[in-house]
Amino acid sequence: MKGSCDVDAGTTAAESSIPPLLEWKFSQVFGERAAGEEVQEVDIISAIEFDKSGDHLATGDRGGRVVLFERTDVRHHGFRKDLEKQDCPITRHPEFCYKTEFQSHEPEFDYLKSLEIEEKINKIKWCQTVNNSLFLLSTNHKTIKYWKVQEKKVKKFSETNIDTSENGSIASSSITATRFVPDGAYAERPHSHLSNEFSIPPGGSSLLRLPVVMSQETSLIPKCRRIYAHAHDYHINSISTNSDCETFISADDLRINLWNLEINNQSFNIVDVKPANMEDLTEVITSAEFHPTHCNLLAYSSSKGSVRLIDLRQSSLCDNHSKIFEEREAPGSRSFFTEIITSISDIKFAKDGRHLLSRDYMTLKLWDINMESGPVATFQVHEHLRPRLCDLYESDSIFDKFDCSLSGDGLHVTTGSYSNLFCVFGCVPGSNEATTLEASKNPMRLQVQNSKSARSMSSFTRGVRRGAESSSDSNGNSYDFTSKLLHLAWHPTENFIACAAMNSLYMYYA
């Protein structure tokens, strides 16, 4: 894969010496398909999210299911009480295990609009953990659900308490039958007066059979606490929880709504870009996210390649932005594909809250929210595909939406690409670090690091053609446009990346 890292002048996430290059190694894989195995559409992963502690990871798929993973390499994480009693191994990188899964959304049909609503999970966001219970939000195109996952003890029972005597006959037990008499008093009668159904079996007497508790197993029980529905006319593309732990936002193409977690029948429209005449529509909302520490700030991106920062304290309807971050178009560079490739598919705030990362089709851009003049760093991801934009348009690949993510320390950024590749860039001033790996059990077979010159990164991928949907550039590099790594997430505290390739979840550490 071809890539480059162009760092502009400015202040980035870390004003320190250039850190050493990260050496990425394979950690784990869940759900890897066998050679030639056909992947079901419903099993394709469509969302990935770590919680704030990094102890839990959630994935959603196109079948409407949410799968939870829990960290197991260190003690005292989450609600793993069973591990607290053991001497758990402490490794130098996170390790996760499967915990549970549940059906979050089902396919629906909107009879008023004659529209099918698929069950695909678009986004997952973690909420605050309370009393060892996990809370998270999940959404498909129209409906948001608030889930609580709690660890409970489930009792297991034996069939009955059948006891036998020494000679093998059924032990006797005294049973008294009752019946009503006309005056309302109770009368007792012996077994001989019972009906045939309750008669004493030959060779023994009747037995009162009661279940007996054999064991108490711990199990995770998911419960849908609230459903937030009927608030969006268009497909929901983003949800984001607020730092106040009380509210969250949901965004579709034209509107952003503010919700209270405790109220599911009312929301407040805080951004509305719908024009009076839909023929005058020039841009749509593509992503939205709350500031990590300031509950009054949020940012949203648009299909025109701009990111707007708004302050909820200024107005109840935030039609006017506080700041706008967009890069000026070079004279004479506009083409038929310009608006498509500049549309931003994802934005993420850095943990420090000062920097913002945006991903469009061609590049990653790192912004300083105190500087609107331009990005402080630009990372070329798909520049090598520019000569093939016409082919990508014909196959609809040009409309693919790739996620982006930042490391917890703000020193690195990552995003996905085709052929199940993902790229990691260093964003410290003076760093040209760029690494590309393939989502595979053996990532070392396709890993190139560069720390000298952006020009020498023209031969990142050296692969074999994978079929009719593959293509190659002038350098002979092969790209499979049917295998795309759209979703990935960086661990909040460690150099650890989880990424999805079709139905498989791969994890890497450095």
Side-chain angles (χ1 to χ4, degrees), residues 472-510:
S472 58
D473 60 14
S474 58
N475 296 320
N477 299 324
S478 175
Y479 311 101
D480 181 5
F481 296 118
T482 63
S483 301
K484 54 194 74 173
L485 199 151
L486 301 176
H487 308 288
L488 78 178
W490 199 303
H491 193 278
T493 59
E494 302 188 39
N495 289 325
F496 186 85
I497 296 175
C499 55
M502 298 294 284
N503 66 318
S504 303
L505 178 66
Y506 292 91
M507 299 182 180
Y508 301 88
Y509 70 95

Side-chain angles (χ1 to χ4, degrees), residues 460-480:
F460 263 178
T461 58
R462 302 175 180 87
V464 180
R465 290 180 180 269
R466 303 188 183 187
E469 296 296 330
S470 298
S471 181
S472 58
D473 60 14
S474 58
N475 296 320
N477 299 324
S478 175
Y479 311 101
D480 181 5

Side-chain angles (χ1 to χ4, degrees), residues 19 27 46 54 87 115 139 162 235 241 267 322 363 457-458 465 486:
S27 176
S46 57
D87 186 14
L115 181 67
T139 182
I162 298 178
H235 289 175
T241 53
S267 64
S322 299
T363 64
M457 286 183 276
S458 61
R465 290 180 180 269
L486 301 176

Side-chain angles (χ1 to χ4, degrees), residues 84-289:
E84 292 180 4
K85 301 177 182 179
Q86 304 174 14
D87 186 14
C88 300
I90 299 178
T91 59
R92 69 181 190 91
H93 64 87
E95 291 182 357
F96 286 80
C97 70
Y98 167 86
K99 287 301 294 182
T100 189
E101 67 179 88
F102 55 89
Q103 189 71 35
S104 176
H105 287 73
E106 300 281 357
E108 304 173 32
F109 188 81
D110 188 335
Y111 293 96
L112 294 177
K113 298 181 180 180
S114 297
L115 181 67
E116 290 185 0
I117 303 173
E118 61 178 324
E119 64 271 31
K120 171 190 171 185
I121 304 296
N122 286 347
K123 292 289 182 181
I124 296 174
K125 291 294 180 180
W126 289 91
C127 303
Q128 189 178 27
T129 300
V130 180
N131 295 330
N132 292 331
S133 297
L134 304 177
F135 294 85
L136 54 87
L137 293 168
S138 63
T139 182
N140 63 354
H141 286 330
K142 295 291 184 179
T143 304
I144 307 166
K145 294 187 178 181
Y146 183 43
W147 290 92
K148 176 183 179 180
V149 182
Q150 186 177 19
E151 191 174 57
K152 290 186 176 181
K153 288 186 177 180
V154 179
K155 297 180 180 180
K156 296 190 68 176
F157 298 91
S158 65
E159 292 183 1
T160 53
N161 60 337
I162 298 178
D163 296 326
T164 58
S165 60
E166 294 181 359
N167 59 7
S169 62
I170 299 177
S172 61
S173 176
S174 60
I175 300 179
T176 301
T178 62
R179 62 184 176 88
F180 285 101
V181 293
D183 61 358
Y186 291 98
E188 296 184 355
R189 58 180 178 176
H191 291 295
S192 58
H193 295 145
L194 294 175
S195 63
N196 292 334
E197 183 180 356
F198 298 100
S199 60
I200 299 174
S205 62
S206 63
L207 177 70
L208 178 62
R209 299 182 177 182
L210 297 175
V212 176
V213 177
M214 298 295 293
S215 64
Q216 292 188 359
E217 294 184 353
T218 301
S219 178
L220 289 175
I221 308 298
K223 180 180 180 181
C224 184
R225 296 287 302 274
R226 290 175 186 84
I227 299 177
Y228 313 89
H230 312 300
H232 289 275
D233 293 329
Y234 304 93
H235 289 175
I236 299 173
N237 56 51
S238 301
I239 53 175
S240 180
T241 53
N242 200 349
S243 58
D244 62 9
C245 301
E246 295 180 357
T247 57
F248 71 94
I249 56 171
S250 59
D252 63 23
D253 291 344
L254 299 180
R255 293 185 175 94
I256 300 177
N257 294 331
L258 177 67
W259 300 83
N260 188 298
L261 284 168
E262 302 298 324
I263 303 173
N264 64 344
N265 59 359
Q266 184 181 29
S267 64
F268 297 94
N269 178 224
I270 57 175
V271 175
D272 189 347
V273 299
K274 183 178 181 180
N277 185 353
M278 286 296 287
E279 294 182 357
D280 299 330
L281 182 66
T282 58
E283 65 179 335
V284 295
I285 298 169
T286 57
S287 184
E289 180 162 307

